[in-house]
């Protein structure tokens, strides 16, 4: 069950996408995690007609798309005797399995779970049962984020779609628009100054993404939505009027992650191996993001970022299976590395004093932070494919003395698993390769 940390893969060349099943050649999805480390950057080939593992003719076929209104054959299971009190402190609550597609995105709010996959359907779940569904014009839902009564979804076609919950019927969702809107595109296309270079000898409107959206992040306080894309930019949107207010050419390769933090700080991670820090500056009605510093510059791709609630720690996952972290209270000095995976990190989530990392090795590592020391509490196993996305919400049974979280994990095995995780869970002890007992209360935070 435990993932040995002494056999990490060597550093890789730049890998464009954070998705382990993306390639310019056809690859069996079941072998996605095994093939991940052999892939190289294909960003220069990002044309509109590009095919990828997740956009293959088989996956895009209309015969492979189910209706969002037909019940999905997801299954739920409890412990054998039906007593939920027997669930271990860090363990599996239930498993949701369907054949609709690989799970690429998750979001949770107010006991509702939203799931996005490589079908066109976004499904809504309540108490592990299907509650609602809505269908987009484009599949491959790469990111989901919730703000008030609006749901934003980022797609492979480079568009952000906006959905609203109907007040009279909470189980009904209607599309409220697309970012950018058709009118904004038409209006911007009239002015030649709105065209920028998006590739050698190719121009496009600055308000439009010209490649897949990889990540969304929200600054709830200021009503700003951030979208990161494989087109090497991140864009900033005003949620109130759905306008693109800024586009930042952030990296030399695909931007795999963007996260907002306190005091207008924004972090971006890219397939070019860098993590960059940006500061939001407001000048009258104008918003501008200014480059501050580069936290990391390495050979292997940065695949995921996460910031804890207070903004004091920023975490970075990479294709070499390592999680780096920096401490804001120490001028963003490097705090250490967490080594618990054999293959690429694909997603990160921070909750309370915990940080969780999902990997192409099919496992989820749960780390507990105490000051600058991170302890590996658990390695959650059970997925049969790479763990692509994570979402966390507070457990209703949580108390001040025992902080508990419900963790949702989406995988390329087409399933979502639900876990109960406690910050008070005992630290795991495993046998190392020599048969000796070893505890993991100090290893992860070792400096370079």
């Amino acid at each position: 069950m435990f993932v040995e940390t002494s056999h990490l893969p060597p550093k890789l060349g730049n890998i464009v996408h954070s998705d382990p099943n993306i390639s310019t050649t056809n690859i069996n999805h079941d072998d996605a995690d095994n093939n991940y480390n052999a892939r190289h950057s294909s960003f220069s080939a990002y044309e509109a007609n590009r095919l990828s593992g997740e956009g293959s003719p088989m996956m895009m076929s209309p015969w492979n798309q189910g209706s969002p209104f037909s019940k999905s054959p997801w299954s739920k299971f409890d412990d054998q005797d039906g007593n939920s009190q027997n669930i271990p402190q860090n363990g599996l609550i239930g498993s949701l399995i369907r054949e609709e597609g690989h799970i690429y995105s998750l979001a949770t709010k107010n006991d509702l779970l939203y799931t996005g996959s490589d079908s066109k359907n976004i499904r809504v779940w309540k108490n592990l049962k299907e509650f609602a569904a809505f269908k987009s014009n484009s599949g491959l839902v790469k990111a989901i984020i919730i703000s008030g009564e609006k749901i934003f979804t980022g797609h492979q076609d480079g568009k952000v779609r906006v959905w609203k919950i109907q007040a009279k019927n909470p189980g009904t969702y209607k599309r409220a628009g697309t970012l950018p809107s058709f009118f904004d595109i038409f209006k911007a296309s009239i002015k030649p100054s709105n065209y920028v270079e998006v590739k050698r000898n190719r121009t496009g409107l600055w308000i439009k993404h010209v490649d897949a959206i990889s990540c969304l992040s929200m600054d709830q306080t200021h009503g700003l939505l951030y979208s990161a894309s494989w087109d090497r930019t991140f864009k900033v949107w005003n949620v109130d009027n759905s306008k693109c207010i800024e586009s930042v050419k952030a990296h030399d390769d695909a931007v795999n992650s963007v996260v907002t933090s306190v005091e207008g700080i924004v972090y971006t991670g890219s397939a070019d191996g860098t993590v960059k820090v940006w500061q939001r500056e407001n000048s009258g009605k104008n918003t501008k993001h200014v480059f501050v510093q580069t936290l990391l510059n390495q050979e292997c791709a940065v695949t995921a970022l996460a910031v804890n609630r207070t903004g004091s720690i920023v975490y970075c996952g990479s294709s070499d299976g390592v999680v780096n972290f920096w401490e804001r209270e120490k001028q963003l000095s490097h705090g250490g590395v967490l080594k618990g995976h054999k293959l690429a990190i694909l997603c990160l989530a921070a909750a309370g004093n915990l940080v969780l990392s999902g990997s192409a090795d099919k496992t989820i590592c749960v780390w507990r932070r105490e000051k600058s020391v991170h302890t590996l509490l658990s390695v959650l196993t059970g997925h049969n494919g790479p763990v692509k996305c994570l979402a966390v919400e507070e457990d209703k049974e949580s108390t001040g003395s025992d902080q508990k979280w419900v963790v949702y994990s989406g995988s390329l095995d087409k399933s979502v698993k639900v876990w109960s995780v406690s910050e008070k869970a005992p630290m795991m002890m495993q046998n190392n390769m020599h048969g000796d007992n070893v505890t993991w209360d100090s290893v992860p935070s070792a400096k370079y």
Side-chain angles (χ1 to χ4, degrees):
M1 178 177 179
F2 183 67
V3 181
E4 296 177 357
T5 61
S6 57
H7 291 79
L8 293 173
K11 285 197 172 185
L12 311 177
N14 288 355
I15 297 177
V16 160
H17 312 301
S18 61
D19 301 43
N21 69 327
I22 299 301
S23 174
T24 52
T25 59
N26 291 328
I27 290 179
N28 187 325
H29 290 299
D30 295 333
D31 296 326
D33 53 319
N34 296 325
N35 287 298
Y36 186 87
N37 289 335
R39 310 223 173 103
H40 302 290
S41 173
S42 59
F43 184 83
S44 60
Y46 82 96
E47 302 295 345
N49 61 353
R50 179 184 60 188
L51 292 179
S52 65
E54 52 178 23
S56 66
M58 179 191 72
M59 296 307 299
M60 300 304 290
S61 168
W63 299 106
N64 200 46
Q65 311 299 329
S67 166
F69 304 107
S70 61
K71 289 296 181 180
S72 178
W74 286 43
S75 64
K76 169 188 173 184
F77 68 85
D78 299 309
D79 49 314
Q80 292 181 350
D81 58 5
N83 187 349
S84 61
Q85 294 181 347
N86 290 335
I87 297 175
Q89 283 183 297
N90 283 3
L92 188 65
I93 296 175
S95 184
L96 310 175
I97 303 171
R98 63 181 178 182
E99 295 301 324
E100 193 172 54
H102 303 298
I103 307 300
Y104 281 97
S105 52
L106 297 171
T108 181
K109 185 179 181 181
N110 298 335
D111 298 326
L112 295 178
L113 174 68
Y114 297 78
T115 61
S117 68
D118 51 12
S119 76
K120 295 182 179 181
N121 304 325
I122 298 100
R123 295 190 179 271
V124 190
W125 306 87
K126 188 173 184 177
N127 299 324
L128 301 185
K129 295 180 181 179
E130 188 168 344
F131 176 71
F134 47 100
K135 189 172 185 177
S136 70
N137 292 334
S138 172
L140 303 172
V141 185
K142 310 283 289 183
I144 304 174
I145 200 159
I146 307 167
S147 177
E149 298 302 308
K150 291 182 178 179
I151 296 94
F152 298 88
T153 55
H155 298 257
Q156 175 83 6
D157 64 4
K159 295 179 181 179
V160 178
R161 290 172 172 84
V162 189
W163 313 84
K164 287 194 73 172
I165 304 171
Q166 300 301 294
K168 294 182 180 180
N169 185 359
T172 302
Y173 295 77
K174 288 191 176 181
R175 191 161 136 195
T178 303
L179 306 182
S181 69
F182 176 80
F183 177 77
D184 287 339
I185 293 173
F186 175 77
K187 185 178 177 181
S189 65
I190 298 174
K191 287 186 177 182
S193 60
N194 286 326
Y195 288 85
V196 296
E197 185 178 6
V198 296
K199 191 176 179 286
R200 282 197 310 270
N201 302 321
R202 180 183 171 189
T203 61
L205 291 174
W206 69 270
I207 63 173
K208 287 179 61 178
H209 283 300
V210 295
D211 206 338
I213 288 176
S214 57
C215 182
L216 297 173
S217 184
M218 177 72 71
D219 184 331
Q220 300 280 4
T221 304
H222 296 86
L224 298 177
L225 174 70
Y226 292 79
S227 58
S229 171
W230 292 347
D231 66 10
R232 315 182 190 192
T233 73
F234 72 86
K235 299 190 189 300
V236 189
W237 309 84
N238 185 319
V239 172
D240 292 334
N241 60 19
S242 300
K243 303 291 186 183
C244 183
I245 59 177
E246 187 183 9
S247 178
V248 180
K249 170 66 170 63
H251 291 272
D252 296 328
D253 212 328
V255 184
N256 284 328
S257 187
V258 59
V259 291
T260 60
S261 187
V262 296
E263 298 179 2
I265 297 176
V266 177
Y267 302 94
T268 56
S270 169
D272 64 14
T274 64
V275 175
K276 293 184 178 180
V277 186
W278 309 84
Q279 177 68 56
R280 185 181 67 246
E281 295 182 354
N282 297 320
S283 176
K285 294 183 178 180
N286 297 324
T287 297
K288 185 178 181 180
H289 288 77
V290 178
F291 171 73
V292 177
Q293 68 180 107
T294 299
L295 293 182
L296 183 67
N297 192 349
Q298 61 183 14
E299 292 182 2
C300 56
V302 173
T303 50
L305 296 174
V307 179
N308 66 345
R309 185 181 60 82
T310 62
S312 61
I313 305 285
V314 55
Y315 297 93
C316 158
S318 303
S319 59
D320 60 358
V322 171
V323 176
N324 285 270
F325 69 93
W326 295 264
E327 299 170 287
R328 184 167 173 266
E329 296 168 356
K330 298 179 182 179
Q331 289 72 50
L332 287 173
S333 63
H334 187 258
V337 295
L338 312 181
K339 296 183 178 181
H341 293 286
K342 289 182 176 180
L343 298 176
I345 305 293
L346 302 182
C347 50
L348 292 170
N353 294 317
L354 298 181
V355 60
L356 300 99
S357 54
S359 170
D361 66 14
K362 309 176 186 178
T363 70
I364 303 157
C365 284
V366 182
W367 313 83
R368 182 175 63 210
R369 179 178 66 88
E370 296 178 36
K371 296 182 179 180
S372 295
V373 176
H374 289 71
T375 301
L376 182 58
L377 294 184
S378 304
V379 177
L380 306 179
T381 63
H383 278 296
N384 295 317
V387 180
K388 185 66 185 68
C389 48
L390 293 167
V392 186
E393 66 178 349
E394 188 172 10
D395 193 321
K396 291 181 179 178
E397 299 180 359
S398 182
T399 64
S401 60
D402 186 10
Q403 179 68 60
K404 293 182 179 179
W405 304 90
V406 177
V407 177
Y408 302 93
S409 58
S411 169
L412 301 189
D413 64 9
K414 304 181 181 181
S415 79
V416 174
K417 293 191 183 295
V418 188
W419 314 83
S420 176
V421 174
S422 169
E423 293 190 13
K424 294 295 184 181
M427 182 177 61
M428 67 181 299
M429 295 184 66
Q430 298 289 337
N431 292 331
N432 64 12
M433 56 190 299
H434 299 293
D436 304 319
N437 287 334
V438 57
T439 60
W440 293 87
D441 59 346
S442 58
V443 174
S445 290
K447 293 270 189 176
Y448 278 147

